[in-house]
Amino acid sequence: MGAVAGPEIERLVQLLARLPGLGPRSARRAALHLIKKREALMTPLTSALQVALDKVQVCKTCGNIDTQNPCTVCTDPKRDPAIIVVVADVADLWALERANATQGRYHVLGATLSPLDGVGPQDLTIDALVARAHAAEVHEIILALNATVDGQTTAHYITDLLQDANVKVTRLAHGVPVGGELDYLDEGTLSAAMRQRTLF
């Protein structure tokens, strides 16, 4: 089948297809929608992308992304400086914020340790985390890492490095999700829930 659109439109489709969750077919639909809604959607989107390109930066304190540095979370006076929540990625930070799960500060590692993918300690911001953990005001480090092999390996590695820091190291509970039915849960989740049972 020959090309049905000019190279400029094909380029737009190819770029959209690189976004997570968009395959070639979804990218074509998105491109067509943008073109049809040029004034209402494409123009403001182009402007927003340019602003993001010019102004978005990585927070030098925690690794979040924002238009100010230090970021909005780090400069919020209502945040508890005694608690640092460690996450692998900014997406995890945003998820915790959507849930309003903590009033602590954050530390974004950038990834998790993954020897198979060639990700070692030097590729993460672990040294900066250890330095922050030694600050006098910090009392707890919460490891909010994925319950995967890589996530738990990273958590153990960080815990070992924090032995001489005067902080409590905790992790997220693993087990039955809110609204979950036991019959639908995998064996690993059920056994973790049983091991980490709490008083009712």
Side-chain angles (χ1 to χ4, degrees), residues 26-191:
S26 299
R28 287 199 180 282
R29 280 200 298 270
L32 191 57
H33 186 72
L34 285 168
I35 291 164
K36 284 180 178 177
K37 306 278 186 183
R38 246 179 294 200
E39 294 302 317
L41 198 55
M42 192 182 271
T43 302
L45 179 61
T46 303
S47 174
L49 287 170
Q50 189 59 54
V51 168
L53 184 63
D54 294 339
K55 296 190 175 178
V56 171
Q57 50 194 311
V58 176
C59 176
K60 62 188 177 192
T61 306
C62 74
N64 187 19
I65 57 172
D66 203 340
T67 53
Q68 66 180 54
N69 200 346
C71 73
T72 306
V73 176
C74 286
T75 55
D76 183 352
K78 294 191 293 292
R79 296 276 171 173
D80 186 354
I83 298 171
I84 296 177
V85 182
V86 180
V87 293
D89 194 72
V90 173
D92 302 326
L93 186 158
W94 289 2
L96 289 168
E97 282 300 289
R98 277 196 312 274
N100 199 20
T102 179
Q103 279 301 303
R105 304 258 169 99
Y106 289 94
H107 188 89
V108 180
L109 294 173
T112 51
L113 295 173
S114 180
L116 290 176
D117 297 321
V119 180
Q122 71 283 353
D123 301 308
L124 308 181
T125 59
I126 293 175
D127 289 346
L129 171 62
V130 172
R132 290 181 72 190
H134 280 83
E137 72 270 14
V138 177
H139 300 303
E140 183 178 6
I141 302 290
I142 302 173
L143 300 174
L145 300 171
N146 292 331
T148 59
V149 171
D150 289 345
Q152 295 313 294
T153 300
T154 307
H156 287 295
Y157 182 82
I158 290 170
T159 302
D160 288 344
L161 291 179
L162 295 177
Q163 290 293 331
D164 63 336
N166 189 26
V167 292
K168 176 170 70 169
V169 181
T170 59
R171 69 172 190 174
L172 297 184
H174 299 156
V176 180
V178 173
E181 296 182 30
L182 297 186
D183 190 36
Y184 292 101
L185 298 178
D186 63 277
E187 290 82 0
T189 300
L190 283 171
S191 62

